[in-house]
Amino acid sequence: MTQQAEVIPGTDPAPIREAHDLAEARHHITTVYIPHELTSHDSRPLDFRLAYLHSRQLTLGHLRYGADVELLCPPMLSCYHVNLTLAGSTQVRQGKRSAATDGGRGGAAFGFAEPYLVRWNPDAVQYAIKIPRTAMEGQLAALTGRPVDAPIRFDLGFDLSSAHGQSLLAAVRHLKAELARPGGTAELPLVRAQLESYVISQMLLVIPHDHQDLLAPTGRAAGRTHVRIAMEYADEHAAEPITAPDLARAACVSMRALQVGFREELGVSPGTYIRNVRLDRARQDLLARPEGVPISEIAHRWGFHHLGRFAQHYQRRFGFLPSDTIVTDETAQTLVDPVR
């Protein structure tokens, strides 16, 4: 039974490109991804459709050809490329390695230093994701607490049917939906950076590669000094699109060690700490807001794009809703202590 492809809604504002011949399809992929050679193995007209979104750390496309075609791509040089097969199947090759992917069950990850080949069957639909080296290798360095001195060598084919693989698919779907949603994270750098970092982290955890042993839990916690450095960094940069790996990088420890250290010292994760700092800043702004300034403006200022979740987090932290925040002499003198 052929798995049904994920459908992009007609209201999705992502740029959509369509084509029925090889030359036009080649032009679209060249414009969005990379120059390449495109050949047909069945001479049937294409039913090419690409909906894509550019973000700070990656390019995310939802792609089909609707025919038996083969792409031969040169080395990407400055980017890694990951395909997540949603329907149909593909065969891929890079160097001496080859693999096959099936819809919802497999993906492929290509290094940047060698040419690679992808053959699509007519039913194949994929997420095609281009990630700059700086983003992928920087995220790995943040997660491990070590510099990445050599290219990451991913396994060519990998499993998407496991729970971790499905988590990666869910993360990509969520990022695509938020980037495409009018008024969504595309307009909120703080939240967008968190979602991008999460997707790239999921890739590094799901796709086997030669640095993966460094991501295994060691149980060793970051020391109190490192935790304090990370806290100070979060306090100073809360208005910027920082994420938990940025705290690990600032403290010169691995993400795993920082997570353990935060749990032991503060009882929260680094990500929760960042969120609490931003909630504190949002409360300060709510206490000082001029009449007529909507709560949503302050929430968005501090990276909270979903007002319902903002209200939940706010109430959990302070005991009342954002709309119940009232300036009094008492509240002005009892702002929450930033130790979280």
Side-chain angles (χ1 to χ4, degrees), residues 182-247:
T185 56
E187 301 172 12
L188 301 170
L190 293 176
V191 181
R192 184 179 67 236
Q194 294 175 43
L195 292 177
E196 292 168 347
S197 294
Y198 178 65
V199 166
I200 297 172
S201 292
Q202 286 289 97
M203 290 180 182
L204 290 164
L205 293 170
V206 170
I207 307 171
H209 56 85
D210 57 348
H211 295 72
Q212 204 160 38
D213 59 323
L214 298 176
L215 297 175
T218 63
R220 187 173 63 184
R224 184 169 297 174
T225 299
H226 294 293
V227 170
R228 179 59 60 179
I229 291 171
M231 291 170 61
E232 290 174 353
Y233 186 87
D235 293 340
E236 293 171 4
H237 298 273
E240 302 170 20
I242 61 168
T243 60
D246 292 316
L247 270 59

Side-chain angles (χ1 to χ4, degrees), residues 18 24 106 110 127 142 153 160 166 172 175 186 189-190 198 203 216 261 266 273 278 288 291 294 297 318 320 328:
E18 298 179 337
E24 192 173 6
F110 304 98
Y127 282 134
R153 184 173 175 81
L160 282 176
Q166 291 300 301
V172 173
L175 175 62
L190 293 176
Y198 178 65
M203 290 180 182
L266 305 173
Y273 183 87
R278 289 171 175 157
E291 185 177 353
E297 179 179 319
F318 303 117
F320 48 85
T328 67

Side-chain angles (χ1 to χ4, degrees), residues 3 12 276 282 315 333:
Q3 182 165 333
D12 190 341
N276 287 346
Q315 185 175 38
Q333 294 173 16

Side-chain angles (χ1 to χ4, degrees), residues 14-249:
I16 296 176
R17 302 191 176 195
E18 298 179 337
H20 299 289
D21 62 71
L22 292 173
E24 192 173 6
R26 184 188 303 115
H27 170 73
H28 293 325
I29 295 297
T30 294
T31 301
V32 177
Y33 292 99
I34 189 173
H36 63 291
E37 297 178 16
L38 178 64
T39 57
S40 172
H41 287 275
D42 59 10
S43 300
R44 65 192 289 179
L46 302 188
D47 185 17
F48 172 93
R49 191 173 189 271
L50 168 65
Y52 66 95
L53 294 151
H54 290 302
S55 194
R56 185 172 62 92
Q57 297 190 75
L58 51 82
T59 297
L60 170 58
H62 184 280
L63 174 63
R64 74 178 184 220
Y65 280 89
D68 182 354
V69 298
E70 183 175 282
L71 286 80
L72 178 59
C73 301
M76 296 194 77
L77 301 180
S78 62
C79 296
Y80 295 93
H81 187 90
V82 174
N83 286 342
L84 306 178
T85 304
L86 304 172
S89 62
T90 71
Q91 294 78 44
V92 298
R93 187 170 70 245
Q94 187 169 38
K96 297 180 179 180
R97 302 176 299 156
S98 62
T101 71
D102 291 312
R105 297 195 296 273
F110 304 98
F112 58 82
E114 296 179 292
Y116 62 92
L117 179 145
V118 183
R119 182 166 178 176
W120 295 59
N121 82 351
D123 297 326
V125 180
Q126 298 194 108
Y127 282 134
I129 309 168
K130 182 173 69 173
I131 310 99
R133 286 187 63 186
T134 52
M136 183 73 84
E137 294 172 8
Q139 191 71 5
L140 178 60
L143 291 172
T144 62
R146 302 184 184 187
V148 178
D149 299 323
I152 305 170
R153 184 173 175 81
F154 290 103
D155 283 7
L156 181 60
F158 60 91
D159 181 25
L160 282 176
S161 63
S162 67
H164 291 303
Q166 291 300 301
S167 293
L168 171 58
L169 274 174
V172 173
R173 288 189 182 106
H174 181 61
L175 175 62
K176 183 188 78 70
E178 287 302 317
L179 289 174
R181 185 169 61 86
T185 56
E187 301 172 12
L188 301 170
L190 293 176
V191 181
R192 184 179 67 236
Q194 294 175 43
L195 292 177
E196 292 168 347
S197 294
Y198 178 65
V199 166
I200 297 172
S201 292
Q202 286 289 97
M203 290 180 182
L204 290 164
L205 293 170
V206 170
I207 307 171
H209 56 85
D210 57 348
H211 295 72
Q212 204 160 38
D213 59 323
L214 298 176
L215 297 175
T218 63
R220 187 173 63 184
R224 184 169 297 174
T225 299
H226 294 293
V227 170
R228 179 59 60 179
I229 291 171
M231 291 170 61
E232 290 174 353
Y233 186 87
D235 293 340
E236 293 171 4
H237 298 273
E240 302 170 20
I242 61 168
T243 60
D246 292 316
L247 270 59
R249 190 181 299 112

